[in-house]
Amino acid sequence: MEIDDVNSITVLGAGSMGHGIAEVAALAGYDVNLRDIEEEFVQKGYDQIEWSLGKLAEKEQISESDADAALERVTTYVDLAESVSDADVVVEAVPEKMEIKKDVYTELEAAAPERTVFATNTSSLSVTELAEVTDRPEQFCGMHFFNPPVRMQLVEVISGAETADETMDLIVELAEEMGKTPVRVHKDSPGFVVNRILVPQMNEAAWIVESGDATVAEVDSTTKYGIGLPMGTFELADQVGIDVGYHVLDYMNEVLGDAYEPCPLLEEKVEAEELGKKTGKGFYDYEGGEGAQIPSDEVREDVERRLMAVMANEVAGLVQNDVADAEAIDRAVMLGAGFPDGPAKMADRAGLGSLVETLDELHEETGAARYEAVELLRELGESGEGFRGGDAGEESEGHDYETLSVEVRDNVGHVELDRPHRMNTISEELLDELSAAIDALNDDDGVRAILLSGAGDRAFSAGADVQSMASGGGQPVAAAELSRKGQRTFGKLEQSDKPVLAAIDGYCLGGGMELATCADLRIASERSELGQPEHNLGLLPGWGGTVRLQRIVGAGRAKEIIFTAERYDAETMREYGFLNEVVGNGELDDRAWELARDLASGPPIAQRYTKRAMRSGWESADAGLEVESQAFGLLYNTDDLMEGVTAFMGDREPEFEGK
């Protein structure tokens, strides 16, 4: 079956995952049959889809007509046979119990057409074992969405032992048609990729506390502010549900052995029904207490090394067993768990050799199987290589960017902030890569203009990546140097002799707005929101915003924007003079490239000296006027001037060459 042959999708299970998957499929234009075992359940799922579509329309992420059309594509069923009678693909999202799923597939096999492809949304159970219930294991794979499916970008596409390549290709394309980012999991293995990283980390955190080596507060402080992850490990366990992680771990232990033995602390929490937020109490108290209050000053280096070593060992196991490669693992964990960097890359940066030493020390001390270093990790540690290539512990050189997408087209150097999983927030690594990219484009004579944008349609950039930067522990000297680094990097755009255009779609906040401030021209989509919210954090704009913003909108408006810390719509920012143009939500890309090409076709020498004269004029009107007069005289002796005059006299467009 080809992707163009897929028209009808049945989703079995109308719970939180099921109705979310159904909504995603309907928004992608597919006819969707939503089925559950009772009318009450399926109607509740349908109502949730209607509510969610209404919210998307209210936030102008989709139009009301698109919301209505998507809802019309959803039909509800209780009878399984009726729901799958004409299904091209069935996505099963019933409760995460092997026997329940097997019963469903027994009934499904008898009712579905022979052509129908089966995809299970299981988060950890064996795809191969489920497929064996059917007579079509080659047409069976995993299609693991993350919660909530409407918002989360990642879909793990998992191959069973007999899954055909054509089936994998189809489901990968289907995920892409739904606007998701699929990651291929080449081999059926408990936990697949994301849970295989997160759950053992949760278990190790519990063992650290169980053994008395550190407190819950110290572990979570280390995870959040030392490593720089979105949540503390115990905070995340409470958020997801301690029982959910425990059952995945228990399954891993059953299939993979003693290395995944659950910590007694987790078992105690499950038996006491202290499962986290959903029960009011877990590792933190959400009813009588204040919930997860994580200190920023209890980071422990030994705890960080231990957690990093266990995580690196899991990455090595996945790679060694051909479950997924390092790049896919990083992409999956960043999208599915919100890590600022992928675990393979983080381990490379920490140094694989030293992480192996940590595992060896722990294994010698405890004898626990979970500290036995995977053969691949030991080999890489001894060789000095990293998971992602190059030497572990060293940053790669050249222009192979991790956080940016850079291309040159039609004499336009396009720099796209490429961290959509983090709303294109700006990390130190992005600053370093942006600095290198600007230098490369400035040195490229084939580049006449620079275009800045952000990947995805949610954000140009939502500001600084506070979580990754918090991993420095909040040292004043380091923070001041970070401010200077951002000022210098953004200043390269301001100092560039080439015109710079910022195309803003979605959030443009904090450091993202400071970046846009350094462009010569700024255009935005109607849905964009802009602002400097630093005062809400007790900070001030630290990447040039206090100086540069007032030059564009005036001191009064700049103080209003910074002091109020409010968000402003695009039209208001156009009225304030910050934006040159506001366009329709679907028109930004075309208009940005049109304007960038116009800038690139301009006279390079004149543009260069115009920017220099205007920069000089900021500091001193006399200095600016002097640069202007000298440049005016210099331009009289250029080929570009003759081309411009000749083109004007001949009533044609000039073709400037910068000579």
Side-chain angles (χ1 to χ4, degrees):
M1 186 185 300
E2 302 292 331
I3 188 64
D4 291 341
D5 298 322
V6 178
N7 299 298
S8 176
I9 297 173
T10 296
V11 179
L12 301 180
S16 60
M17 291 302 297
H19 72 67
I21 295 168
E23 181 179 352
V24 169
L27 282 168
Y30 294 101
D31 293 327
V32 180
N33 296 334
L34 180 63
R35 184 262 176 181
D36 214 314
I37 57 175
E38 292 186 19
E39 182 64 37
E40 176 188 353
F41 300 156
V42 76
Q43 185 59 47
K44 184 177 179 180
Y46 182 86
D47 291 344
Q48 285 295 113
I49 293 173
E50 185 175 20
W51 175 85
S52 177
L53 290 170
K55 280 294 182 182
L56 291 175
E58 182 182 315
K59 295 178 181 178
E60 298 184 351
Q61 295 180 19
I62 61 174
S63 66
E64 289 188 11
S65 61
D66 285 342
D68 293 339
L71 192 63
E72 287 178 9
R73 296 188 193 104
V74 180
T75 306
T76 61
Y77 290 88
V78 172
D79 186 276
L80 185 143
E82 290 182 9
S83 73
V84 302
S85 62
D86 195 36
D88 299 308
V89 174
V90 173
V91 181
E92 166 268 308
V94 304
E96 194 76 348
K97 301 286 186 181
M98 182 65 81
E99 292 309 313
I100 294 176
K101 289 182 184 289
K102 284 184 175 181
D103 288 344
V104 168
Y105 281 112
T106 299
E107 187 178 356
L108 178 59
E109 175 62 35
E114 290 184 5
R115 72 176 189 280
T116 307
V117 171
F118 296 168
T120 175
N121 184 56
T122 181
S123 60
S124 61
L125 298 179
S126 172
V127 173
T128 301
E129 187 175 342
L130 289 172
E132 289 172 352
V133 178
T134 76
D135 294 328
R136 61 186 88 187
E138 72 285 350
Q139 292 172 222
F140 195 115
C141 72
M143 190 180 191
H144 179 212
F145 289 80
F146 284 70
N147 196 21
V150 174
R151 186 163 57 85
M152 296 295 284
Q153 281 296 110
L154 177 65
V155 173
E156 292 177 325
V157 181
I158 307 106
S159 177
E162 297 184 54
T163 304
D165 290 341
E166 293 79 7
T167 299
M168 289 290 287
D169 292 342
L170 177 70
I171 298 304
V172 164
E173 290 183 72
L174 180 60
E176 291 172 341
E177 289 291 317
M178 293 179 178
K180 302 303 179 184
T181 302
V183 169
R184 287 178 184 258
V185 182
H186 301 294
K187 186 180 291 185
D188 187 15
S189 184
F192 311 132
V193 172
V194 176
N195 281 333
R196 185 67 169 270
I197 300 297
L198 293 183
V199 172
Q201 186 185 66
M202 176 192 73
N203 195 37
E204 182 59 25
W207 280 111
I208 291 172
V209 173
E210 174 79 12
S211 62
D213 293 336
T215 64
V216 168
E218 287 172 331
V219 170
D220 272 6
S221 181
T222 300
T223 310
K224 192 166 187 175
Y225 300 106
I227 301 175
L229 301 187
M231 289 185 175
T233 304
F234 292 109
E235 179 187 15
L236 178 62
D238 278 358
Q239 185 76 28
V240 173
I242 298 170
D243 56 327
V244 174
Y246 175 78
H247 290 312
V248 173
L249 185 63
D250 194 42
Y251 180 69
M252 288 181 179
N253 183 211
E254 178 186 336
V255 177
L256 298 174
D258 292 343
Y260 300 91
E261 177 190 358
C263 176
L265 178 60
L266 298 175
E267 189 172 5
E268 290 169 9
K269 288 291 182 183
V270 172
E271 289 179 352
E273 296 187 355
E274 295 179 354
L275 307 179
K277 270 193 170 182
K278 61 187 177 184
T279 60
K281 187 175 182 181
F283 291 106
Y284 296 95
D285 189 345
Y286 300 91
E287 290 183 344
E290 298 180 336
Q293 300 294 314
I294 300 174
S296 61
D297 58 353
E298 295 189 30
V299 175
R300 291 262 302 268
E301 185 176 349
D302 58 332
V303 172
E304 179 175 344
R305 300 298 298 178
R306 193 162 162 178
L307 292 172
M308 288 291 294
V310 169
M311 184 173 69
N313 214 28
E314 292 303 325
V315 172
L318 290 171
V319 175
Q320 178 174 294
N321 293 310
D322 298 320
V323 176
D325 59 39
E327 185 176 352
I329 293 167
D330 279 359
R331 185 164 63 251
V333 176
M334 286 191 294
L335 289 172
F339 278 33
D341 283 319
K345 187 175 181 181
M346 292 167 63
D348 283 352
R349 194 160 52 229
L352 302 189
S354 63
L355 296 180
V356 170
E357 289 177 7
T358 299
L359 289 171
D360 287 345
E361 290 169 3
L362 289 166
H363 188 255
E364 183 177 351
E365 178 185 336
T366 67
R370 64 184 178 277
Y371 301 129
E372 292 180 9
V374 171
E375 182 180 346
L376 175 63
L377 183 64
R378 191 173 297 280
E379 290 175 0
L380 293 174
E382 291 174 354
S383 68
E385 296 181 1
F387 287 119
R388 299 291 297 265
D391 293 333
E394 295 183 6
E395 298 292 336
S396 60
E397 298 181 356
H399 302 309
D400 186 13
Y401 303 105
E402 294 277 352
T403 65
L404 305 174
S405 175
V406 181
E407 67 168 338
V408 177
R409 176 158 46 106
D410 300 334
N411 297 119
V412 176
H414 181 205
V415 179
E416 183 177 64
L417 309 187
D418 194 14
R419 303 181 81 224
H421 66 292
R422 302 284 292 177
M423 303 284 279
N424 297 321
T425 49
I426 299 168
S427 62
E428 281 200 74
E429 180 184 17
L430 189 147
L431 286 176
D432 291 336
E433 293 193 344
L434 182 60
S435 178
I438 297 169
D439 287 344
L441 294 176
N442 281 336
D443 291 341
D444 188 342
D445 292 336
V447 174
R448 299 274 194 89
I450 296 173
L451 171 63
L452 294 174
S453 66
D457 58 3
R458 297 180 64 197
F460 170 77
S461 172
D465 188 338
V466 177
Q467 290 167 348
S468 68
M469 292 179 178
S471 63
Q475 297 298 321
V477 174
E481 185 52 40
L482 177 62
S483 174
R484 295 187 187 99
K485 176 183 283 192
Q487 291 169 353
R488 290 193 299 267
T489 299
F490 294 176
K492 288 184 177 184
L493 292 169
E494 199 172 56
Q495 297 294 322
S496 174
D497 287 336
K498 302 172 183 184
V500 179
L501 170 67
I504 299 165
D505 191 17
Y507 297 119
C508 180
L509 304 173
M513 185 166 167
E514 290 177 285
L515 173 60
T517 301
C518 293
D520 300 304
L521 299 174
R522 289 161 292 277
I523 63 173
S525 61
E526 293 173 338
R527 64 185 163 209
S528 297
E529 294 183 26
L530 301 90
Q532 298 286 172
E534 287 84 358
H535 275 198
N536 286 334
L537 300 174
L539 291 171
L540 82 165
W543 286 337
T546 59
V547 174
R548 295 184 178 116
L549 182 59
Q550 62 182 319
R551 292 172 173 168
I552 299 170
V553 300
R557 288 297 190 198
K559 290 176 181 177
E560 173 195 334
I561 292 167
I562 294 172
F563 288 148
T564 64
E566 291 181 357
R567 296 182 183 183
Y568 295 80
D569 61 50
E571 187 56 39
T572 298
M573 293 303 286
R574 187 194 64 79
E575 293 173 1
Y576 284 5
F578 186 78
L579 296 174
N580 299 86
E581 189 176 340
V582 177
V583 300
N585 293 331
E587 303 170 12
L588 180 67
D589 189 60
D590 288 343
R591 177 55 183 148
W593 274 98
E594 178 186 14
L595 185 52
R597 291 188 187 98
D598 284 347
L599 293 172
S601 67
I605 302 174
Q607 290 174 335
R608 178 191 313 155
Y609 282 102
T610 298
K611 289 191 68 171
R612 291 180 182 180
M614 294 180 77
R615 284 198 302 269
S616 298
W618 283 345
E619 305 300 330
S620 164
D622 289 342
L625 291 171
E626 181 60 26
V627 172
E628 178 183 271
S629 63
Q630 290 181 5
F632 194 82
L634 184 151
L635 290 168
Y636 254 82
N637 193 35
T638 63
D639 292 346
D640 277 356
L641 177 63
M642 294 302 298
E643 168 61 16
V645 172
T646 303
F648 176 78
M649 298 296 291
D651 195 24
R652 62 174 175 81
E653 291 295 321
E655 297 181 5
F656 297 113
E657 296 184 6
K659 297 180 181 179

